Structures are given as structure tokens and as C-alpha cells.
Amino acid sequence: MRLRRVHSALLALAAACLIALAPIQSAAAAVSGSAMKTWQVNGTVYAIAYAGSNVYVGGSFDSILGPRGTTDMQSRSNAAAFSVATGAPLSWSLSAVGTVRAIAVSPDGSTVYLGGDFTITAADGTTHKYLAAVNATNGDVLPWNPKLSAGVRAIATDGSRLYVGGSFSKADGQQRLHLAAYDITTHQLDPLWHPDSYGSNTYNGGTLQSSRVNSLALSADGTTLYVGGVFTSIGGANRNNGAAVSTSGAGVATSFNPSPALQYVVLVTELSADGNTAYFGGRGPGGFLGAYAATGGAQRWYHHVDGDVQAATVDGSVVYVGGHFQNVSDSGTLIPRGHLAAFAADTGALDETWTPHANSNLGIFAMDAEPGYLGIGGMFTRVNSKVQQGFAEFAG
């Protein structure tokens, strides 16, 4: 990812021009700001998924490292699993050659779905590229072997269907522009669902971005899929970078249409616990996080930051965000935050006391939460100035 630098004067100008900027008020995070002393990775984590007592991580690394102060090390190839409560590694292991960028776990906890720019070789010698399903207990690659033309950036599932988004244009030989759906039981590509996304209208540092889906969030009832990325049209309707499409039929766009329109690349998409609010975050200029009514898309609040928002997760009444920003901006006022921040899900109020910080320029790329725990992943070697590389957990 290209590093973006934004001066405070530009931030002030951009913030002043935005509608409905959330005031910097008070909110309360659900987890401590002190990271647990857990195992780490010797590289970068791009994806995290909690599932019961386990947490699965994916990225670009070849080993996991013991907690700071120890010399323990175990081999892992771009994917690993840890105990949620203790951070200790599980025996779950597989060999992915290339970067894992997305992880989803089936609702019954039996299967882990991986997406990215990788190749995984199964025990029978077959290769699985860009998308694979593996046993959640031992990491064995399952027989299903979808064929995509390019990489995967996002996965969502309700247990009956698997939705994937990325930069691909074909799935199993059929045109599927950046979105596809598979039946979990039969593993067949849905023959009707194709809310193809088009358009490359967004600039980053003067470079035109190719149309791509970066993030997905599925409604609790499984009827609506919220999509973020780079596009001007999706599901047969004009939409800028953020949209919602029906999961039935051909996948036409719903009436959800963020207002004002999302002008810049969307990297993260999340839904509130009650499903009434959709959150979109991304880059440009600097970075942003906005909250929109899940029906219609009216903006509820908006925050500007001085670097990309690259990760987000909702934990009850709190939205946690991560990226390579160093400040949150409110009408020109810069409030320091070291790649991490927390906001009230309903009002957008900034948590004034949750202030953990990670080092490095690019910062945080992945987040997920379950009650009592928050996991972060990225390109860092320290959290709160203590050694913690690539992956960290916070507990309530």
C-alpha cells in the first residue's frame, strides 16, 4: 500500500468541507488499552477472524513467535491460529504460498475460508489458488476448489452461501466482476447472482484505481450484502464506492445509497450490532470513517483522519478502527491517535481514554472482535512501546 502523507492544513480544509462531522465527545471502549502478552508473527497480518475459543490470522509471515521475553518460535506459512483466552498457538497449520488477505469461519465453526493472493497445495497434490476452504481443527485443505481469475480481498458467509469479493473478473469460467457467490453445500457457483461492479473513478495520490471490491458485510438475516471498494456502478445502479445489493436473484442494488456520496476508496465495511447502521472507512484525502443509515444511506456521522482507515470492527456499542493515521480530525482540531481509535457506534463520539498505539508507518490492516476481546493485525513491531509484532489482543 502506498504511504500517504497529509499536512494538518489540508486536514483542516478537508474537515471543514465535510458534512455532519461527528463532534469529539466521550465514549467508552469495551476492552483495555493494554495489549495482552501473547504470541506474535514475524511479518504482517492482514486478516483476523474470531470463532469460539479460537482466533485465526492470515497475512505474510513464515513463523510465529513466543511472547516477548521468550525465544519460542514455530513455523507457520501465512496463516495461524491461537487460543483467544491465552494467546497460545494452536496446532492448526497449513502451507499457503503467498499472502492471505481475508478469513471467514463458518457459523458452526467447522470450516475456515481463506482468500488472498496465495496458492495452497492439498495433501492429494491439488493446488487451490486465491480461495480455499480448510478444516478448522487441523488445517487440512478441503476438496472444494473454486477457480477465480485474480485475488480475493473479502469473504462473508451465513452458513448457506459464501460471498467473495476482490479483483477477479471470472469465477469458475463465468463472468463475475469482483463479486461471486457459492452454495456452501454443493460448492456450486450461483448461476444468477452477479452484481458486477464497474468504474474506476477514484484517485489515490494521482493514480487512477482499478475497479475492485475490498470489503463485505452481510446483514444478520442474510438478505443484504454491503459492499465497499472502487466502483461507480454495481448491481445495475449508479453507486460510488459503497453500496448494498440483494443476495437473491441477480443481486440488484438496493435503495441504500450513501449520502453524500463516497468519493474515495472504501477499504472497510461493517454493520452495527442491530443492523441499522453501515460503516464505511478508507482513504482520501488522508482517511475517513462514516456511519450511514442501513436503509437509505443518510449520513449519521463522519470522522476524518490523517491516514488510511484500513481496518474496523464493531463490538456492541463501540466501533474500533485501525490504519496508518496518527490523528483524528474534528473541524481542524487534531487529536493524537497512534494508528488506533474507538468511537461510539451510535453517535461517533471519540473514546477519550482508549489510546493504545502501534509503531511503524503503515500500522493496522486487520481487526476483529468478540465479547471481551479485540484482535488487531498489521505491520508493527510494538504496541504501547512494548514488543508485540504483527498481531495483538486486548481483553475486557
Side-chain angles (χ1 to χ4, degrees):
M1 181 168 292
R2 185 171 177 173
L3 179 63
R4 296 173 56 81
R5 299 184 182 275
V6 181
H7 296 294
S8 59
L10 176 59
L11 282 173
L13 175 63
C17 295
L18 290 169
I19 298 174
L21 279 169
I24 302 298
Q25 299 172 349
S26 177
V31 296
S32 165
S34 298
M36 298 168 59
K37 189 176 180 180
T38 64
W39 279 63
Q40 313 159 69
V41 306
N42 71 339
T44 303
V45 166
Y46 292 102
I48 301 174
Y50 280 93
S53 61
N54 300 339
V55 56
Y56 298 89
V57 305
S60 179
F61 52 86
D62 59 25
S63 297
I64 56 175
L65 311 174
R68 59 182 176 271
T70 72
T71 58
D72 297 336
M73 178 183 293
Q74 295 181 18
S75 177
R76 294 290 190 277
S77 183
N78 302 314
F82 304 95
S83 163
V84 172
T86 68
L90 306 180
S91 59
W92 187 83
S93 180
L94 53 91
S95 180
V97 179
T99 303
V100 175
R101 298 187 181 276
I103 299 179
V105 183
S106 61
D108 65 5
S110 66
T111 306
V112 177
Y113 299 97
L114 305 173
D117 300 305
F118 59 75
T119 299
I120 297 176
T121 302
D124 63 2
T126 59
T127 58
H128 300 244
K129 194 170 185 179
Y130 303 132
L131 181 64
V134 304
N135 184 291
T137 301
N138 57 24
D140 287 349
V141 182
L142 302 179
W144 178 52
N145 197 355
K147 304 296 184 182
L148 298 174
S149 61
V152 169
R153 292 294 182 273
I155 306 173
T157 183
D158 60 1
S160 62
R161 302 175 88 196
L162 185 77
Y163 301 91
V164 296
S167 53
F168 54 85
S169 60
K170 288 187 177 181
D172 293 355
Q174 304 298 310
Q175 177 176 300
R176 293 293 185 274
L177 298 183
H178 318 125
L179 282 166
Y182 289 90
D183 183 283
I184 292 293
T185 302
T186 66
H187 295 154
Q188 296 300 306
L189 177 72
D190 189 303
L192 299 177
W193 196 79
H194 57 93
D196 299 341
S197 69
Y198 299 87
S200 304
N201 69 324
T202 306
Y203 286 80
N204 177 31
T207 302
L208 186 66
Q209 302 293 294
S210 298
S211 183
R212 184 172 77 182
V213 167
N214 292 321
S215 53
L216 301 172
L218 185 63
S219 64
D221 63 7
T223 63
T224 306
L225 185 70
Y226 292 81
V227 184
V230 182
F231 47 81
T232 57
S233 173
I234 188 171
N238 294 329
R239 297 288 187 271
N240 273 5
N241 305 322
V245 298
S246 171
T247 58
S248 63
V252 298
T254 72
S255 61
F256 176 81
N257 190 7
S259 179
L262 296 167
Q263 296 298 319
Y264 302 101
V265 174
V266 170
L267 299 173
V268 297
T269 304
E270 293 288 332
L271 289 172
S272 61
D274 61 11
N276 292 328
T277 304
Y279 306 94
F280 292 94
R283 68 167 61 108
F288 71 92
L289 179 72
Y292 304 85
T295 301
Q299 186 182 97
R300 289 179 167 161
W301 53 262
Y302 192 104
H303 276 299
H304 198 80
V305 295
D306 61 353
D308 296 358
V309 169
Q310 299 166 160
T313 190
V314 178
D315 184 14
S317 62
V318 180
V319 183
Y320 296 97
V321 300
H324 70 75
F325 56 86
Q326 296 285 357
N327 297 278
V328 175
S329 176
D330 178 40
S331 300
T333 300
L334 300 181
I335 300 177
R337 286 296 184 272
H339 302 314
L340 293 161
F343 301 96
D346 55 353
T347 66
L350 178 69
D351 188 301
E352 296 179 346
T353 61
W354 196 76
T355 58
H357 53 89
N359 69 340
S360 85
N361 286 326
L362 295 181
I364 310 302
F365 287 103
M367 281 183 156
D368 195 25
E370 70 169 25
Y373 294 94
L374 169 70
I376 66 170
M379 186 182 294
F380 53 83
T381 58
R382 291 179 179 271
V383 176
N384 297 337
S385 301
K386 296 180 180 179
V387 172
Q388 191 69 38
Q389 186 173 356
F391 171 68
E393 271 195 296
F394 301 87

